[in-house]
Amino acid sequence: MDDKMTFLGGQSRTFNLYHDLMQIKVHDILLISSPYDAWVMEEDSRISERIVSEYRGLNLSRPPRLKWVSTIEEALELLDVRFFDLVILMPHLTNMNCCSMGKMIKEKIPGIPVAMLAHKQLAVSDEDLCEGTDRQFVWSGDAELLVAMVKNLEDLLNVEHDTKEVGIRVIIVVEDSPRYLASFLPILYKELVRQTQALLEEGLNSEHRLLTMRARPKILTARTYEEALGLFKQYEPYILGVISDVRFPRMGRLDGNAGIDLLKEVKEHREDIPLLLASNEVENKKRAENIPAYFVDKNSPDLMSAVRKFVIDHLGFGDFIVRDAEDKEVARATSLYSLEKILRSMPEDIFIQHCQRNDFSRWFYARTEITLANKIRPLKSKDFPDWESHRHHLLGLIKERRLQRQQGVIVSFNPKDFDPDTDFLKIGSGSLGGKARGLAFICSMLSRNSWLHEKYKDMVISTPRTLTIGTSGFDDFIEMNDLSYLAATDVDDEKVAQIFTDAFFPGWIEAQLWAYLQEVKYPLSVRSSSLLEDAQYQAYAGLYSTYMISNDSSDIEKRLQQLVNAIKLVWASTYYKAPKSFSLRVNQRTDEEKMAVIIQEVAGQRYQDYFFPAISGVGQSYNYYPYGKMKPEHGVATIALGIGKSVVDGEQCIRFSPRYPKILPQCPTLADSLKNAQTTFYGLRMMNGEICEIHDDANLDKLNIADFENTAPVRMLASTYLPDEGRIRDTSHVPGPKVILFASVLKHKLFPLSLVLTDILKLAEKGMGGPVEIEFCINLFEDGRKPEFNLLQLRPMSARADLNQVSISEDDLLNAVCVSSHALGNAEKNDIYDILIVRPDCFDVAKTREIALEISKMNAQLVKQQRKYLLAGPGRWGSADHWLGIPVEWPDISGVSAIVETSTQSLKVEPSQGSHFFHNITTLGINYFMVLDKPGNVMNWEWFTAQPVIEEGEYVSHLRVPAPIVLKVDGRSSQGVILAAKGSSEYCMLHECII
């Protein structure tokens, strides 16, 4: 008996010690950033939700809170009156100096932890000088990094106590690169939690299991040799493992042997400690074996799985219960929506009984629905003429709150009981991805800015109902099918798609999708949302797949299978050649990319056998190609009838400035209007119960506007060409060919499109801290219903993020071999020797596909040789319509440094600012020259064709100049020039060059 009591007492004392672990927690975080970055951290990344289980185990009252400010002045004032455990600095697009801000904060509050979360890797010299921050990380949008930052600081603050009192284990990570540290830490913490949770199954009860979570190993980071050695000596008895880079600072200088010497020192003192050496130089593997230590190649696509393998192998309130008079359960509600459904059929006696006991208000209080509970609690039966009136009133209050609470909120999907009216649902954990973040952000902003809805009360402004699958779904799919090898394998897109189609789909996702389709029977768009898609510096726009499905079969199993196949193919596009080549260009690892999925209601109406909106479009808050009295800050919009593929693929559309909607640059004359007006559009084919195979644009058909003259969109938007009168009338209600110029909207204000675009673009630009681009579509009705303005996507425009002053002199203009009055970017380059030109004498608009193949082959050779080049030729580059330009895709031009777009007599088109191709140019910093057929624009073909030829194809010539050309683009004036190297015999004068 005494032995048993001793055992139980000892056990109790052990878990009492666990109560004292992790005493110091991060409660308040000060974030200095743009409004968009602040929203992403709080809404998408959900620090609070991600660690809530750990906090419950610690018996803490609240998870960390984020306080956001946008300037250092606000931050310093706030620090006078509030205490913060951590300060996070995020550079704006305006490049505010985080290092200087960190110094100011530390001078005011000595010792306060300050971390910098940058969008891109700092230069080495910048990292050395950034004394105002304790740690720097590169932010890729992955929520796991935010959790890791908080946990890492808490580990540092608690390690001294927790190691000495209980003997908690410690892992030391030595890494001076913010980018790799941002990759390592989330993986390590995720794996530690996984392993600890596996041990929790052996816990005695739920309290002990949660307490055990506090005993997980701690991770301490070091940037220099001295820091790492100091940590090892201080916590040597508790060290579980050491992960080290090879080259990092020692005695104030980068030392290529620092990591080797450190691990040797550790091995000499402790033979039993597992060691991992990480390096981007494969030859260091032998040095690791000599220590001995495990080795991972930082440049390997399998880096993440290798680190994970090291960790795994070497380091482990309730439902509303409806009861009858005998207290027997007759129904159960888990949410406001399910309670609302139960209430509709609840018998009188049971309803009155629950009201008398205040069961409804008590349940709402427990669910923190305080306002709703306060409204319901005072209500008595005598306040209503009958019980049915009482129930009707209660139903109204619940529905009002249900709709209100889900506006602008990301709601976790509950397959057992979800609300189909919810704006934004999420399945799984992990990040939403860039595209979904932008959509959820604008959804949140719409809910917070009621003035917009009041101003446009005759229009419905919203986002389509959306369900997202977080990146955890992608992780599970890749892991269970062992598909990570595709990141490093050169496999054709068709083969990748087949591999993914044949792979096993996670059952937990399929079960939730089945429940979703039980309620949802409208057409769906299945869209990609990778971590980096629509990011501020690396947009990846249009590189991944999108699929539309009619979702109209009566057989839910068929609809489910079609949806699952579409999701698989969206995931598959992560490993397609286009995004891989883009990743290579921006120095991003394919295996670090993760793919969330957006399942979105297709905004539109059914017309005949097709589904489409009246108008689709893209709006940009900054116009790179202003016309006439337009200014860049007035913005620009491109619109088309039907589904927006016409716009994003750069086909014939109408472009206008919201400030001057009546000015159409591409339609100055009657002939131009007839030539440039939209004649075809895209619609989603309704299958009427049948299921078709999923592939690109499988259900999208290109339709002739003439075949849909009797539909509401054409009747409301079209004008009519009257050949006998030689003019176009702004109405569709007269006989004659229909011309889509949107006159009823742009000129006669059928609804205030220009005004609402202006306000939404300004609102989004303010929120994201820089120029933005939105995708939208509009439904129009002839039955008196309000027009619907649907926001489909929001992303930043990043081309003007780095506007160093570039000057173009009069001499430059006189001596240039190319002059553009509409050039994109802001740069001065002198490292281009190679030029690919589409020879004007060989150009044939019917052969643009063949020209694209020639360019692709030459590009592949130049990429292997790591030679950047200038690409010049006629028409709209990257257009999906090969009659408008050369239809190259990203793998075809992955090594390009600058592009020149010229015109010929047979091919004169407007630039496609709304296309994904155009957006990615801005992201990559590729300068784009549009040489217009107007005074002041120059393209000296004679100079170009006189340069030495390396290779000559049927249409394209590869030239190489003896001295590098000089390229200048002034982002302030949108003017660009290309100059031959000074002193060259080819130096030309303006009078020889004018078109």
Side-chain angles (χ1 to χ4, degrees), residues 235-256:
Y235 301 108
E236 179 183 345
Y238 315 109
I239 300 296
L240 183 63
V242 179
I243 300 174
S244 178
D245 190 12
V246 175
R247 182 182 294 104
F248 50 84
R250 175 159 56 174
M251 299 180 66
R253 300 180 62 182
L254 274 178
D255 187 334

Side-chain angles (χ1 to χ4, degrees), residues 360-648:
F360 296 117
S361 60
R362 185 182 304 109
W363 191 65
F364 292 133
Y365 278 123
R367 297 176 69 85
T368 69
E369 292 289 352
I370 308 301
T371 303
L372 179 59
N374 285 341
K375 289 180 180 179
I376 291 175
R377 187 175 180 81
L379 297 177
K380 306 296 181 185
S381 297
K382 63 181 181 180
D383 298 327
F384 301 90
D386 53 52
W387 79 275
E388 188 62 48
S389 300
H390 189 175
R391 176 167 66 176
H392 182 75
H393 181 72
L394 185 57
L395 280 168
L397 290 175
I398 295 173
K399 183 173 183 179
E400 179 185 18
R401 175 55 186 157
R402 177 172 62 81
L403 296 177
Q404 178 190 51
R405 70 196 291 268
Q406 53 104 7
Q407 290 178 350
V409 177
I410 301 171
V411 179
S412 295
F413 182 79
N414 181 356
K416 295 180 180 178
D417 186 22
F418 83 98
D419 184 348
D421 292 327
T422 305
D423 291 337
F424 209 103
L425 290 161
K426 180 181 180 182
I427 287 176
S429 58
S431 177
L432 295 173
K435 190 181 292 182
R437 278 200 304 267
L439 178 64
F441 177 60
I442 199 67
C443 186
S444 172
M445 292 193 68
L446 288 178
S447 70
R448 296 198 306 268
N449 290 273
S450 57
W451 63 267
L452 188 70
H453 304 283
E454 293 170 3
K455 181 175 179 179
Y456 300 102
K457 57 185 178 183
D458 293 328
M459 177 188 299
V460 177
I461 302 174
S462 62
T463 56
R465 287 169 288 187
T466 300
L467 171 70
T468 64
I469 302 175
T471 53
S472 65
F474 176 78
D475 289 341
D476 281 2
F477 179 80
I478 296 297
E479 186 174 338
M480 73 167 53
N481 292 286
D482 195 20
L483 297 176
S484 60
Y485 72 93
L486 290 170
T489 308
D490 187 16
V491 180
D492 289 341
D493 292 354
E494 294 79 9
K495 178 64 175 176
V496 174
Q498 190 60 52
I499 291 172
F500 271 69
T501 300
D502 295 339
F504 182 77
F505 193 77
W508 65 271
I509 303 178
E510 188 169 5
Q512 297 189 67
L513 292 177
W514 189 89
Y516 175 72
L517 293 179
Q518 284 282 92
E519 299 283 345
V520 172
K521 298 176 183 177
Y522 42 74
L524 297 173
S525 174
V526 185
R527 312 171 69 193
S528 62
S529 183
S530 77
L531 286 181
L532 296 173
E533 198 165 10
D534 296 349
Q536 292 195 357
Y537 289 90
Q538 296 164 170
Y540 285 72
L543 298 182
Y544 301 114
S545 297
T546 293
Y547 300 92
M548 290 188 177
I549 55 179
S550 58
N551 191 38
D552 59 351
S553 172
S554 58
D555 187 337
I556 189 172
E557 295 297 335
K558 291 182 178 179
R559 290 191 291 126
L560 176 62
Q561 190 57 52
Q562 190 175 46
L563 178 57
V564 165
N565 287 341
I567 293 169
K568 286 181 178 180
L569 289 174
V570 169
W571 281 339
S573 64
T574 309
Y575 299 119
Y576 286 176
K577 289 188 176 182
K580 278 185 177 180
S581 63
F582 192 95
S583 296
L584 184 65
R585 179 64 183 262
V586 298
N587 195 29
Q588 183 67 41
R589 304 170 54 84
T590 301
D591 69 315
E592 287 184 304
E593 180 67 298
K594 295 183 181 182
M595 181 68 74
V597 174
I598 299 171
I599 302 170
Q600 190 175 56
E601 173 186 13
V602 176
Q605 297 290 309
R606 181 164 181 163
Y607 305 99
Q608 299 175 25
D609 288 331
Y610 289 91
F611 195 93
F612 55 88
I615 300 174
S616 293
V618 169
Q620 295 170 320
S621 64
Y622 189 89
N623 184 2
Y624 290 113
Y625 295 109
Y627 175 86
K629 57 185 177 181
M630 302 174 187
K631 295 183 179 180
E633 57 271 21
H634 292 161
V636 67
T638 306
I639 57 176
L641 176 76
I643 286 173
K645 179 177 172 62
S646 304
V647 178
V648 298

Side-chain angles (χ1 to χ4, degrees), residues 27 163 204 313 480 605 625 637 665 671 710 726 782 838 868 916 978:
H27 293 293
T163 51
L204 300 178
D313 293 347
M480 73 167 53
Q605 297 290 309
Y625 295 109
N710 292 324
E782 293 180 305
V838 181
K868 294 184 179 179
H916 289 142
I978 297 175

Side-chain angles (χ1 to χ4, degrees), residues 84 144 160 282 320 345 373 377 386 488 557 590 593 601 618 667 734 746 758 765 770 783 812 833 848 941 948 956:
F84 289 93
E144 296 289 347
E160 184 72 19
V282 180
F320 186 95
S345 58
R377 187 175 180 81
D386 53 52
E557 295 297 335
T590 301
E593 180 67 298
E601 173 186 13
V618 169
C667 299
V734 294
L746 301 180
T758 298
E765 188 174 50
D783 57 5
D812 290 337
Y833 290 83
T848 53
W941 284 111
V956 184

